[in-house]
Each structure stands twice: as C-alpha cells, then as structure tokens.
Amino acid sequence: QQQVKQSPQSLIVQKGGISIINCAYENTAFDYFPWYQQFPGKGPALLIAIRPDVSEKKEGRFTISFNKSAKQFSLHIMDSQPGDSATYFCAAGGYQKVTFGIGTKLQVIP
Amino acid sequence: SAVISQKPSRDICQRGTSLTIQCQVDSQVTMMFWYRQQPGQSLTLIATANQGSEATYESGFVIDKFPISRPNLTFSTLTVSNMSPEDSSIYLCSAGSGTAYEQYFGPGTRLTVT
C-alpha cells in the first residue's frame, strides 16, 4: 500500500529553470507534509514542510503548494542551480511517524 | 536541530552473523527512528524507539530480527540479526524532538552481506 505517491522519479532541468515535483497522499488524517533533500552518501535533510491549514509556503527558492481537497502537494524549486542536484523525498504523516514517497532524482544541468 | 552520528559508516558482513549499529544524538530527544533505504530507493520505517518503552515495529519487521535498544535520550542501537544478502541496505537513524514532524537524520550505515 503506497500511501504517498511521488512523481516524477527523475527530472532534468536547465540551470535557472523551475523544478516541480508532485506528491499525492491517501490518508486524510495526515497533518504534516515535509520535503527532504538527500545528497549521495548523506542522510536526508529537512528542506521545508507545510501543514494542511495553509495552501502555500515559501522559503527562499523553495515553495510548497498544497491542495487539501485533491490530497496533493508539490515542491517548486525556482531558479534551479546545479547545487540543487539531489534526491528529493516528499513525506506525509502525523506526530508519531511519517511515510516517505519514492523519491525524485533531480539533475540541474548548466 | 540535532546532529546525529552513526557507527559504523559501512560494513561487510558474512551471512548468518549479526551487526549492531549505533546512533548518537548531540542533544536529548524523545523519539528516535530506524529506517532502511535500498540504494536509490525510498526510506522504509523499521521501528520507532522511545526512551523507557519497547520499540514499536512496523509491519514486516520483527524484534527477533531487528532488536533495538534505547538506554537514554541520546543513544540507540539497532541490531541486524542472522543476516542474509537481502539485508544488504543502508540503515538510517533519525531523531525527533517530541514528534515525527521534524526529523534529523544520521549519515547512514551501508551494510553489505555476503
């Protein structure tokens, strides 16, 4: 049972472009939706997170858009840079645990 | 935030043996989590370890195979017992200050079973 569906699994974006990663969840009890960034050989690092009472959250070049009725949320990376090349995981859950999506490997090319 | 360290960073083990992975946090945390990540794959939660209580295991994971200790608020261990090649994976620990909302991950332990 895949509670959090993430797409695409890989993404190639030109430097300066917008990277968009989408996730969908099934459990309406989820109340926390974080995104994690993972570089090769490292553990995931919390990037940005949103609660279902807001539709958008922005931190620097990273924006989460949240659609509660559609049970979907997405990560937008504006002005993508080669240093953003990493694997991005969406997740959803509550205070006891979160479930991770399959991950999106982002490559930003110069 | 919290800084998490893991030991060992990697190991190659023989089939049938056991390996204990250590996870150290630089501050006191209530919740610690153990995940498994196949290379290039997602993170799968093995169990949640709260200090002073038995670990809570996810479906498909059992205590006999993955015993966990949580002796204090800054330390936890995960043992992978009676290993088989299917246990080859990256094992990650993470910590949450009181919930699973904000988790801080260690660098992982890359385990290869031959």
Side-chain angles (χ1 to χ4, degrees), chain A residues 82-105:
Chain A
D84 296 330
S85 297
T87 299
Y88 293 82
F89 293 95
C90 65
Y95 75 94
Q96 286 188 322
K97 69 176 181 180
V98 294
T99 300
F100 286 81
I102 198 168
T104 297
K105 187 171 184 178

Side-chain angles (χ1 to χ4, degrees), chain A residues 13-35:
Chain A
V13 174
Q14 289 270 349
K15 178 182 176 181
I18 302 174
S19 304
I20 301 174
I21 305 170
N22 301 299
C23 283
Y25 63 98
E26 298 171 359
N27 190 337
T28 55
F30 289 160
D31 66 350
Y32 180 70
F33 303 88
W35 286 87

Side-chain angles (χ1 to χ4, degrees), chain A residues 31-32 36 38 41-44 46 51 89 94-98 100-102, chain B residues 31 33 35 37 41-43 45 48 58 92 99-103 105-107:
Chain A
D31 66 350
Y32 180 70
Y36 284 82
Q38 185 177 31
K42 305 291 185 183
L46 181 63
R51 295 294 183 102
F89 293 95
Y95 75 94
Q96 286 188 322
K97 69 176 181 180
V98 294
F100 286 81
I102 198 168
Chain B
M31 302 179 83
F33 306 87
Y35 291 87
Q37 183 179 31
Q41 301 292 318
S42 186
L43 289 79
L45 181 63
T48 301
E58 296 299 303
L92 293 153
T99 70
Y101 290 147
E102 291 186 8
Q103 294 185 38
F105 282 83

